[in-house]
Amino acid sequence: MQATTTSFGIEEALEQLGIKDLNHGTSTGNKWFPGGEEIASYSPVDGALIGKVTATTKEEYEQVITSAQKAFLSFRAMPAPQRGEIVRQFGNKLREMKKPLGKLVSYEMGKSLQEGYGEVQEMIDICDFAVGLSRQLNGQTIPSERPGHVMREQWHSIGIVGIISAFNFPVAVWAWNTALAWVCGDVCVWKASEKAPLCSVACQNIIAGVLKENNLPEGISSIINGDYNVGEMMTTDARIPLISATGSTRMGRIVGGKVAERFGKSLLELGGNNAIIITPTADLKVVVPGAVFGAVGTCGQRCTSTRRLIIHESVYDKVRDAIVGAYKQIVIGNPLDESNHVGPLIDKESVETYLKAIEKAKAEGGKVLVEGGVLEGEGYESGCYVKPAIIEAENSFKIVQHETFAPILYLMKYSGDVENAIDMQNGVAQGLSSAIMTNELKEAEKFLSFAGSDCGIANVNIGTSGAEIGGAFGGEKETGGGRESGSDAWKVYMRRQTNTVNYSDELPLAQGIKFDL
């Protein structure tokens, strides 16, 4: 668990992305506003100040929304395939900027460089998906019970989409939303996490160039920055019909409530408390990498991170020893060094949360198998590097029932049939991602059945983390019920309309009702 401290060209990456010492944090297209108070972004990698952004003022927010409203009127009239062409160009720009943007993601957020590159690749992938989708925003024809009538269903652009994203995926989640919203004819206003604001500035620099090259309205893409007060400007604004918010369950309750009060739509993708069930027939060659990456990838700061391993008692000791042994091989250090597996937590507040969670687990009777703690010394000066911990626990522990955004993995036993493990898996308030490791077909199908996992994502013989963009992403219960990315998630960014056309010379009523004059 040694750190590596060398330079990895972050200065060059910042220059390529147009990131300065002080950056405007409010923009519509190429137009930037001076902003109010400054927000500093410190890297959890080395504690260095990367840069600052200015927070959005109330007056600037009003200008952003006015610009977005104006842009929507013309953008929705553009044929969808032409909107797809804009997204295609954006995807190509991302290909050109993958390395510098991936480095910024890694440096500002703290995830490994490979994960930083992977996050930008997700942006590219969703652009490709959206380009194809731009020719498939299909409604349907519905048989009418009345002669000489036809019913149709079609989809229309919804308007301004407000996007609130979290620090752990500082660019990909925005792209999931905005690429689909753009091909649907919507315009987007993005409030990034104040813990990773420079990523939003970099992305806006990239899309602003595409909009300018195509002589398109600035308000198609806008960013705002600031704390929860800036986010509240959007959640309470009736001019924004849809708010897509990614973050904690606590945040989702606030956002969902505010938006519901004004009868707006919410897309909520919130917390997870994800488990892998390991059955007697599970293949350890699959179990170990799936469980370990799920637990320690992004330093446990993914909403799909593996929090619980539910292991059959007959193989518990073997699986436990294999997982504990694998943890000894984890290398923690500068995430820009690709030889390191795990980088830092996002900030010292998260470190405190991690330490308190371990103490709570001990107090409830948990047995520590791999000791946690904060790393010190050369390469760990930021104070944000921690050791991934493993704790034997019970599913009923209060701390186990709570999602801790840190690399803490709880191990627990189940006995009897797989139904008992499924009950444990479902026995938490969250419902995002889940997995089962088994070579028994019946167990896999039970896990995937109506009586199986209650999560939005249910995997067989892969871990809980690492979703592809082709499937709808999201979960149930306190995860919020929203769906982003693939499948038919595009429908949330549009309004549905049912049409009935009478092409006959009569006016028959539905349900056989007679109304003769």
Side-chain angles (χ1 to χ4, degrees):
M1 293 188 177
Q2 294 181 334
T4 304
T5 55
T6 53
S7 174
F8 295 93
I10 189 65
E11 294 82 6
E12 181 183 357
L14 295 174
E15 184 177 351
Q16 289 178 274
L17 296 166
I19 301 299
K20 306 170 185 176
D21 292 337
L22 180 61
N23 305 268
H24 298 314
T26 308
S27 167
T28 58
N30 292 283
K31 185 177 181 181
W32 295 83
F33 300 88
E37 63 182 85
E38 296 176 0
I39 302 171
S41 178
Y42 292 92
S43 172
V45 173
D46 53 16
L49 175 66
I50 313 172
K52 299 178 181 179
V53 300
T54 53
T56 303
T57 66
K58 180 64 176 175
E59 293 73 22
E60 290 172 346
Y61 173 80
E62 288 298 323
Q63 293 180 66
V64 165
I65 297 302
T66 299
S67 177
Q69 286 180 308
K70 183 179 178 181
F72 173 62
L73 296 179
S74 60
F75 194 51
R76 68 179 178 180
M78 179 185 291
Q82 292 184 22
R83 298 194 296 259
E85 167 60 17
I86 303 306
V87 174
R88 186 192 69 81
Q89 293 179 30
F90 179 53
N92 285 342
K93 292 290 186 182
L94 290 172
R95 285 178 171 87
E96 296 173 11
M97 302 299 287
K98 179 176 178 178
K99 285 193 173 181
L101 185 56
K103 283 186 179 181
L104 175 59
V105 168
S106 179
Y107 190 58
E108 188 172 32
M109 185 270 148
K111 63 176 57 178
S112 73
L113 185 58
Q114 281 299 311
E115 291 182 84
Y117 290 153
E119 185 166 344
V120 182
Q121 186 61 49
E122 278 194 68
M123 301 175 76
I124 296 167
D125 292 344
I126 198 64
C127 285
D128 288 348
F129 180 92
V131 172
L133 180 65
S134 69
R135 294 180 182 271
Q136 300 179 70
L137 301 174
N138 303 324
Q140 59 181 328
T141 300
I142 306 167
S144 173
E145 68 183 60
R146 288 168 283 183
H149 287 59
V150 64
M151 294 176 64
R152 287 193 286 261
E153 182 180 84
Q154 60 179 332
W155 298 84
H156 295 293
S157 309
I158 197 171
I160 302 174
V161 175
I163 302 166
I164 301 173
S165 64
F167 73 85
N168 59 328
F169 279 84
V171 296
V173 170
W174 168 72
W176 284 1
N177 284 273
T178 202
L180 298 191
W182 283 337
V183 298
C184 289
D186 302 325
V187 298
C188 298
V189 179
W190 176 24
K191 183 209 167 299
S193 168
E194 59 267 40
K195 295 184 179 183
L198 296 175
C199 284
S200 69
V201 175
C203 290
Q204 183 71 357
N205 283 338
I206 296 170
I207 186 57
V210 174
L211 297 178
K212 184 176 181 180
E213 289 170 7
N214 288 274
N215 196 29
L216 288 172
E218 293 173 334
I220 291 171
S221 178
S222 303
I223 63 168
I224 57 178
N225 268 290
D227 61 14
Y228 70 94
N229 291 299
V230 175
E232 195 172 62
M233 293 181 194
M234 288 203 299
T235 59
T236 58
D237 193 339
R239 295 168 294 182
I240 303 178
L242 172 64
I243 296 290
S244 175
T246 303
S248 67
T249 297
R250 180 192 63 81
M251 179 274 287
R253 283 198 177 95
I254 297 170
V255 170
K258 292 288 185 183
V259 176
E261 284 178 5
R262 58 178 178 83
F263 295 103
K265 293 172 65 177
S266 295
L267 192 170
L268 301 177
E269 200 283 284
L270 310 174
N273 195 346
N274 316 296
I276 299 176
I277 295 171
I278 301 171
T279 72
T281 64
D283 185 346
L284 277 182
K285 295 193 299 294
V286 176
V287 168
V288 173
V292 174
F293 175 75
V296 308
T298 322
C299 202
Q301 296 172 113
R302 292 186 175 211
C303 51
T304 55
S305 290
T306 305
R307 310 291 179 198
R308 299 173 292 146
L309 291 188
I310 302 170
I311 309 166
H312 193 271
E313 60 183 1
S314 66
V315 293
Y316 181 84
D317 290 350
K318 180 173 65 174
V319 173
R320 177 199 61 203
D321 293 347
I323 297 292
V324 169
Y327 266 52
K328 295 176 182 178
Q329 302 175 49
I330 294 172
V331 183
I332 306 168
N334 188 326
L336 294 170
D337 182 345
E338 295 186 62
S339 66
N340 293 326
H341 299 112
V342 178
L345 288 172
I346 186 65
D347 55 24
K348 291 182 179 179
E349 181 181 353
S350 293
V351 173
E352 286 302 310
T353 299
Y354 154 86
L355 292 173
K356 288 178 181 177
I358 291 175
E359 291 307 311
K360 289 178 181 178
K362 290 179 181 178
E364 289 192 71
K367 178 183 177 183
V368 177
L369 301 178
V370 175
E371 194 73 46
V374 182
L375 293 166
E376 299 177 346
E378 184 180 356
Y380 303 128
E381 290 86 354
S382 70
C384 296
Y385 290 88
V386 301
K387 293 182 283 188
I390 300 177
I391 301 174
E392 285 185 327
E394 298 292 335
N395 205 47
S396 59
F397 287 2
K398 288 183 179 180
I399 191 61
V400 174
Q401 291 284 313
H402 175 78
E403 180 193 36
T404 302
F405 228 50
I408 303 173
L409 179 63
Y410 299 110
L411 269 57
M412 55 198 71
K413 295 178 184 178
Y414 80 95
S415 58
D417 295 333
V418 73
E419 286 88 349
N420 296 329
I422 293 172
D423 287 344
M424 292 174 66
Q425 135 69 34
N426 294 342
V428 293
Q430 309 83 0
L432 179 53
S433 188
S434 59
I436 188 170
M437 299 290 188
T438 181
N439 284 325
E440 172 60 56
L441 178 62
K442 290 181 179 179
E443 290 181 329
E445 290 297 338
K446 286 179 180 178
F447 180 72
L448 300 176
S449 75
F450 64 89
S453 170
D454 63 3
C455 294
I457 299 169
N459 299 327
V460 177
N461 291 332
I462 64 171
T464 60
S465 194
E468 299 180 27
I469 60 93
F473 182 90
E476 303 302 321
K477 301 190 295 188
E478 289 191 1
T479 301
R483 293 297 187 274
E484 297 171 308
S485 191
S487 186
D488 65 348
W490 61 271
K491 292 180 178 179
V492 76
Y493 303 97
M494 306 195 85
R495 59 182 177 87
R496 186 196 305 252
Q497 185 180 81
T498 301
N499 314 131
T500 304
V501 178
N502 178 7
Y503 59 89
S504 75
D505 296 326
E506 306 294 332
L507 187 62
L509 300 178
Q511 293 84 48
I513 294 173
K514 301 295 183 182
F515 187 74
D516 297 325
L517 294 176

